[in-house]
Amino acid sequence: MQSNRRILLADVAARAGVSMMTVSRVLNNRPGVSADTRERVLQAAHAAGYVPHVPARGLASGRTGMLGVVLANLLDTYYSEILQGAVMEAEAQGSRLILHLTGTSDAREIAQVATLLGGSVDGLLLVLPRAADHYIATIAQKRFPCVLVDHRMLDTPLPAVRSANRAGGAVATQYLLGLGHRCIGFITGDMGYGCSAERLEGYRAALLEAGLAPDARYVQYGDWTQESGRQAAEALLRLDPRPTAIFASNDLEALGVYEAARATGLHVPGQLSVMGFDDRLEARQAYPRMTTVRQPLAAMGGRAVQMVLALVSGQPLPEPVVELPTELVVRASTSSPAAARTTPSP
Amino acid sequence: MQSNRRILLADVAARAGVSMMTVSRVLNNRPGVSADTRERVLQAAHAAGYVPHVPARGLASGRTGMLGVVLANLLDTYYSEILQGAVMEAEAQGSRLILHLTGTSDAREIAQVATLLGGSVDGLLLVLPRAADHYIATIAQKRFPCVLVDHRMLDTPLPAVRSANRAGGAVATQYLLGLGHRCIGFITGDMGYGCSAERLEGYRAALLEAGLAPDARYVQYGDWTQESGRQAAEALLRLDPRPTAIFASNDLEALGVYEAARATGLHVPGQLSVMGFDDRLEARQAYPRMTTVRQPLAAMGGRAVQMVLALVSGQPLPEPVVELPTELVVRASTSSPAAARTTPSP
DNA sequence: CGCTACACTGTTAGCGCTAACATCCGATTG
DNA sequence: CAATCGGATGTTAGCGCTAACAGTGTAGCG
């Protein structure tokens, strides 16, 4: 049946009484077509119900209009918020995102990146890449458009988007100090990530600045999980003097601190102030609503897409590494220490 | 530079001393190639570092190896869990997923579906489609491979994956009855969704079966959000007699019930049992850990991918509508009404 | 009035791969 | 031993679109 055939560019051209090339120019918003021809073509295309054939366009032009995104999983809201921002921006720019999950396997990540470089995609977003060392050099050398989001290591030959971890760590600590806390526990993230060190650094710097000597016993090592947060918090709560506030390196760990506090019978924030990092969904849903340091995750995803798209179209990036600001979000899990074991300040 | 040129099928063919067609057959796992030629080709391809060019393959074969997924957003863990399952299955089958978000706009959904039908994609997954009526007929008539996940309406001309909402509603209610509750409040989801009606139906049926007359005052109408759950719960808690248990149509609403209970000074589960539906991330993280009805979201996504892929390869589906079982997950937000003040276990 | 200049439109030649058919050759058969 | 067969391989012809170049007409200029 003729009526069920795919509508081609040639059909539109015939209807509009012009050549295929003119139609192509119109549909790709290229110059060199008079206003009324353009109008006529658009109407013909619409009337015919024309939809461009993406693979053909990709083959002919070398551009697929697709970007690859590689991330670990979607069950962690950290990733899904970044992805949400990336997709919204991509759609706004007329691109699509192809999703790749690595789970916990470096090998899968490497294989996927290799495949993506094979022309299915114009550019690449690597969110917190794991096995990055294995291919980043290759990508950089091939000049393949690629942007890292919140990469693990702090220096990289590729453009990247990150957030102000050190400043966030410092601001949060200063806020707790300002409330009157003098004994503040800290739970790190997985120390294999550069951002963990940065947040810790911010915490230490703020203490020093306030004239307090950081005490290594009050720093416990977590791995980003709620369970690790609970265990670290339990350790912290056994110390003497007991911290009046605990600052965890992400919201999940802070949720673990909530658990430890409940188990110990401590009221949050009355007897223990708790502070998270990220401002994920969980921080807003938790009880008590969590005071935390907001990372603009969606914005980071969106920004990364903008950067890749710029690279794809050959524009140079004004700054290769973009750092987005973090922001203190005060909710209900922090207050000034109740039974204040405050030392009179100078 | 010769060395930086893209490696083509022709290069592999030359290296292996065979024709391009033979290479193509080998790389696509097609029959008609002798074992040692196959081996030689594979080695040549590997040695050359060949990666197939996806758009070219798509243009020539009419198959892109990509599936489109349309869903509302990723900030709702309901969607991200489904998507996670879908991506894992797609990757296992050698396909990729292209992501499309509709936000809250029907118009965007329609536009995206139209584009996807334009050859960029072999098949389509519509997760809880909104504006479905506008194009489902078209899709069905074009016989374009498409599967609905948890569609709104209960009947559809397209294949679909859903879960046992009615049974879930009944089982949960029976469980509460079994604990000794006789006055059980219910909060619906958005009644524009078929599953809302089904869950309510299950609740009613279980009450009737137990010889209790459903009382309309104990059914409040929510819209899936935490806030609507809170408001509905407040209304329920003002009733006389006050319900000793509240069953919400999703976990978010149940989180809202937690809030209302706290505001009213009621202990969960000591003075009020709370039950959710979905078993999302939030149910596991909440305090107290939430008793809920588990929908196998990831499995639903995975199953839908299998179905689309079957359709793509021309196989008929054994059953057009697949219903996956729901499952009662007992945690710490429910107890018998008599129990004064139980301490939460695991 | 011939010639350039420019804006618009058309023509040609692929992009890299695979479907469909053609060919080859050794093995099987009566 | 010719006729036949079927597995392995090669050849041809696009898939639907766009880059690059080639025209065409009209306005502007000396």
Side-chain angles (χ1 to χ4, degrees):
Chain A
M1 293 267 288
Q2 163 88 347
S3 70
N4 226 355
R5 228 197 63 229
R6 184 189 176 84
I7 311 291
L8 303 179
L9 205 62
D11 301 320
V12 178
R15 280 174 92 115
V18 296
S19 74
M20 284 173 60
M21 201 52 223
T22 299
V23 179
S24 172
R25 275 191 271 257
V26 170
L27 297 180
N28 288 289
N29 263 317
R30 289 220 211 299
V33 183
S34 70
D36 65 308
T37 305
R38 189 175 291 272
E39 181 58 25
R40 199 150 33 93
V41 168
L42 285 174
Q43 281 186 6
H46 183 78
Y50 174 74
V51 183
H53 190 270
V54 177
R57 184 181 273 184
L59 180 56
S61 70
R63 293 274 184 82
T64 61
M66 302 197 178
L67 303 178
V69 188
V70 179
L71 35 74
N73 70 73
L74 293 170
L75 301 184
D76 193 325
T77 49
Y78 172 86
Y79 293 106
S80 47
E81 292 197 29
I82 290 177
L83 184 57
Q84 164 90 17
V87 179
M88 295 307 283
E89 183 63 31
E91 290 189 351
Q93 308 276 340
S95 295
R96 289 89 181 271
L97 253 39
I98 297 187
L99 199 50
H100 289 262
L101 262 36
T102 63
T104 50
S105 151
D106 292 1
R108 288 191 66 189
E109 178 177 335
I110 294 170
Q112 292 179 355
V113 168
T115 313
L116 285 170
L117 294 179
S120 45
V121 135
D122 295 336
L124 206 49
L125 250 66
L126 300 176
V127 183
L128 212 41
R130 304 169 48 86
D133 315 344
H134 290 265
Y135 50 79
I136 279 192
T138 317
I139 294 176
Q141 176 222 319
K142 281 197 182 177
R143 309 175 129 260
F144 189 88
C146 177
V147 172
L148 305 179
V149 180
D150 213 2
H151 50 299
R152 288 182 166 222
M153 297 316 152
L154 300 175
D155 55 336
T156 153
L158 290 178
V161 179
R162 51 199 322 280
S163 73
N165 290 301
R166 192 181 179 289
V171 165
T173 310
Q174 283 156 8
Y175 170 71
L176 291 171
L177 289 166
L179 287 176
H181 296 277
R182 285 298 171 272
C183 184
I184 304 172
F186 186 87
I187 306 176
T188 71
D190 181 330
M191 290 305 281
Y193 294 71
C195 58
S196 295
E198 292 183 313
R199 291 174 197 174
L200 176 56
E201 218 178 282
Y203 159 80
R204 285 214 178 104
L207 290 185
L208 282 170
E209 196 179 81
L212 297 171
D215 180 340
R217 292 183 308 148
Y218 289 89
V219 174
Q220 288 286 325
Y221 293 83
D223 64 3
W224 300 130
T225 64
Q226 181 165 346
E227 177 56 21
S228 78
R230 192 181 60 72
Q231 287 175 9
E234 279 170 1
L236 289 170
L237 293 177
R238 276 194 298 266
L239 293 174
D240 184 30
R242 197 173 66 198
T244 58
I246 295 182
F247 176 19
S249 287
N250 78 359
D251 294 336
L252 249 37
E253 291 182 352
L255 243 28
V257 179
Y258 278 16
E259 288 187 293
R262 274 187 217 108
T264 321
L266 290 174
H267 180 261
V268 175
Q271 296 163 284
L272 181 71
S273 284
V274 179
M275 179 114 203
F277 205 108
D278 284 354
D279 193 25
R280 307 185 189 194
L281 236 45
E282 284 95 334
R284 286 160 246 163
Q285 287 169 345
Y287 180 81
R289 312 252 153 163
M290 193 184 291
T291 299
T292 189
V293 177
R294 178 165 164 63
Q295 282 200 81
L297 296 172
M300 287 162 68
R303 185 61 178 270
V305 166
Q306 288 172 357
M307 290 169 67
V308 190
L309 254 22
L311 288 173
V312 168
S313 64
Q315 298 161 37
L317 295 174
E319 21 174 26
V321 175
V322 171
E323 181 171 292
L324 264 34
T326 48
E327 177 194 358
L328 181 69
V329 178
V330 177
R331 296 205 183 90
S333 67
T334 46
S335 69
S336 57
R341 42 167 39 271
T342 22
T343 43
S345 34
Chain B
M1 292 261 292
Q2 163 87 350
S3 70
N4 226 355
R5 227 197 63 231
R6 182 185 180 89
I7 312 291
L8 303 179
L9 205 63
D11 301 320
V12 179
R15 280 175 93 116
V18 296
S19 73
M20 284 172 59
M21 202 53 225
T22 301
V23 180
S24 170
R25 276 191 271 257
V26 171
L27 297 181
N28 289 289
N29 264 317
R30 290 221 209 297
V33 182
S34 70
D36 63 311
T37 305
R38 188 174 291 273
E39 180 59 25
R40 199 150 32 91
V41 168
L42 285 174
Q43 281 186 6
H46 183 76
Y50 174 73
V51 183
H53 190 270
V54 178
R57 184 180 273 183
L59 179 57
S61 71
R63 293 273 184 84
T64 62
M66 302 197 178
L67 302 179
V69 188
V70 179
L71 36 73
N73 70 74
L74 294 169
L75 301 184
D76 194 325
T77 50
Y78 172 87
Y79 293 107
S80 48
E81 291 197 29
I82 290 177
L83 184 58
Q84 163 91 17
V87 179
M88 295 308 283
E89 184 63 31
E91 289 188 352
Q93 309 275 343
S95 296
R96 290 87 178 272
L97 252 40
I98 299 187
L99 198 51
H100 289 262
L101 262 36
T102 64
T104 49
S105 150
D106 292 2
R108 289 191 65 187
E109 179 177 335
I110 295 171
Q112 293 178 355
V113 168
T115 313
L116 285 170
L117 294 178
S120 47
V121 134
D122 295 337
L124 206 49
L125 251 67
L126 299 177
V127 184
L128 210 43
R130 304 170 47 84
D133 314 345
H134 290 264
Y135 49 78
I136 280 191
T138 317
I139 295 176
Q141 175 223 321
K142 281 197 181 177
R143 309 175 129 259
F144 190 88
C146 177
V147 172
L148 304 180
V149 180
D150 213 3
H151 51 298
R152 289 182 167 222
M153 298 314 153
L154 300 175
D155 55 336
T156 152
L158 289 177
V161 179
R162 51 200 320 282
S163 73
N165 289 301
R166 193 181 177 289
V171 166
T173 310
Q174 283 156 8
Y175 170 71
L176 291 171
L177 289 166
L179 287 176
H181 293 278
R182 284 297 169 273
C183 184
I184 303 173
F186 185 87
I187 305 177
T188 71
D190 180 329
M191 290 305 282
Y193 294 71
C195 58
S196 294
E198 291 183 313
R199 291 175 197 172
L200 175 56
E201 216 178 285
Y203 158 81
R204 285 215 179 104
L207 290 185
L208 281 169
E209 197 179 79
L212 296 172
D215 179 340
R217 293 183 307 148
Y218 288 88
V219 174
Q220 287 286 325
Y221 293 83
D223 64 3
W224 301 129
T225 65
Q226 182 164 346
E227 178 56 20
S228 78
R230 191 180 61 71
Q231 288 175 9
E234 278 170 2
L236 289 169
L237 294 176
R238 276 193 297 266
L239 292 175
D240 183 29
R242 196 173 66 199
T244 58
I246 294 182
F247 177 18
S249 288
N250 78 359
D251 294 337
L252 249 36
E253 291 182 352
L255 243 28
V257 179
Y258 278 16
E259 287 188 293
R262 273 187 218 107
T264 320
L266 290 174
H267 180 262
V268 175
Q271 295 163 285
L272 180 71
S273 285
V274 179
M275 180 116 203
F277 205 109
D278 283 354
D279 194 26
R280 309 185 187 192
L281 237 44
E282 284 94 333
R284 287 161 246 163
Q285 287 170 346
Y287 179 81
R289 312 251 153 165
M290 193 185 290
T291 298
T292 189
V293 177
R294 177 165 163 64
Q295 282 199 82
L297 296 173
M300 287 162 68
R303 185 61 178 272
V305 166
Q306 288 173 357
M307 290 168 67
V308 189
L309 254 22
L311 289 173
V312 168
S313 65
Q315 298 163 39
L317 294 175
E319 18 173 27
V321 175
V322 172
E323 181 171 290
L324 263 34
T326 47
E327 178 194 357
L328 181 69
V329 178
V330 177
R331 296 205 182 90
S333 66
T334 45
S335 70
S336 68
R341 196 184 172 284
T342 26
T343 36
S345 32

